[in-house]
Amino acid sequence: MSLYTTKAIGKTINDCADIEEFKQNILPFLPDQRSQWSKKIEQILSDRRLSCKQLAQLCKVSEPAVRKWRKGSIPQSRDMYIRIGFAAGYNLDEMNMFLQRYGRCPQLYVKSLEDSVCMFVLQSDYLDHTYDTYLKVLDMVKLEMDGAPEVERQTYTTQHLSSRFANLQSM
């Protein structure tokens, strides 16, 4: 099976008579998730010219954790994929593709406070696109919301937050 199109794979799967034929004719051609993850980490290290230690510092994990990723150990949290995406220097579109492809989780969603802040940082022309910057801005937003009068705090619907973040600009 040399074609990796959805149509070709679908036809081949439909033509399989039983599970053994499926295992023999399909599974060998599907890349293993761990090996794909390992290749992706190697690509990030190479593209950014980072050592394991540097990537670990950017992601706020231990160096042995990064070494495990290089061997195919897959992170368990969406936040970790976001940290890695920031370390890789991804823009918003690349971050969303990375989350969906490798993290197998939803893309950044404007109705989530944390995701909105992440999107804001990634789209800023003035802020460093780092996980540390994301955490600082998130803390500032939470402090602002906590300091608002009780009546005003109750009016923060996801739609309200979405429109506020869409109009924010960094200085």
Side-chain angles (χ1 to χ4, degrees):
M1 183 170 70
S2 61
L3 293 175
Y4 279 109
T5 65
T6 304
K7 193 174 186 178
I9 292 171
K11 181 183 178 336
T12 307
I13 290 171
N14 285 335
D15 292 345
C16 289
D18 59 23
I19 191 71
E20 291 307 317
E21 187 178 347
F22 175 79
K23 287 179 184 177
Q24 186 177 13
N25 294 335
I26 302 292
L27 290 183
F29 295 100
L30 299 178
D32 173 66
Q33 183 183 5
R34 291 186 187 283
S35 66
Q36 290 298 312
W37 175 246
S38 176
K39 288 177 187 174
K40 186 62 178 176
I41 288 297
E42 292 297 336
Q43 178 190 6
I44 290 169
L45 290 168
S46 173
D47 289 352
R48 293 292 307 239
R49 294 184 174 94
L50 296 171
S51 67
C52 287
K53 183 177 183 176
Q54 291 168 320
L55 182 59
Q57 289 171 341
L58 290 171
C59 295
K60 300 191 178 304
V61 297
S62 67
E63 191 174 343
V66 174
R67 292 192 191 288
K68 287 180 183 178
W69 295 342
R70 290 179 79 180
K71 292 179 182 177
S73 179
I74 299 170
Q76 298 301 309
S77 73
R78 183 172 182 264
D79 181 65
M80 189 54 65
Y81 287 99
I82 290 172
R83 292 177 191 205
I84 296 167
F86 271 115
Y90 291 153
N91 63 33
L92 180 58
D93 290 335
E94 292 167 328
M95 179 72 83
N96 282 330
M97 285 177 38
F98 179 69
L99 286 170
Q100 291 177 315
R101 168 68 176 90
Y102 293 95
R104 297 185 178 191
C105 49
Q107 65 183 18
L108 296 170
Y109 186 58
V110 74
K111 291 189 176 185
S112 158
L113 175 62
E114 290 80 5
D115 285 7
S116 293
V117 171
C118 188
M119 293 167 73
F120 173 71
V121 170
L122 289 171
Q123 292 177 320
S124 171
D125 292 332
Y126 304 102
L127 297 174
D128 290 334
H129 295 185
T130 65
Y131 188 72
D132 282 336
T133 301
Y134 158 74
L135 292 176
K136 287 176 189 173
V137 173
L138 182 59
D139 285 344
M140 288 173 26
V141 169
K142 286 181 177 180
L143 281 173
E144 170 79 22
M145 290 174 67
D146 287 343
E150 184 67 31
V151 174
E152 193 176 315
R153 262 188 271 160
Q154 292 174 353
T155 64
Y156 280 124
T157 63
T158 54
Q159 185 177 9
H160 181 255
L161 283 173
S162 173
S163 65
R164 263 187 95 172
F165 274 106
N167 295 321
L168 279 178
Q169 293 185 5
S170 58
M171 298 181 7

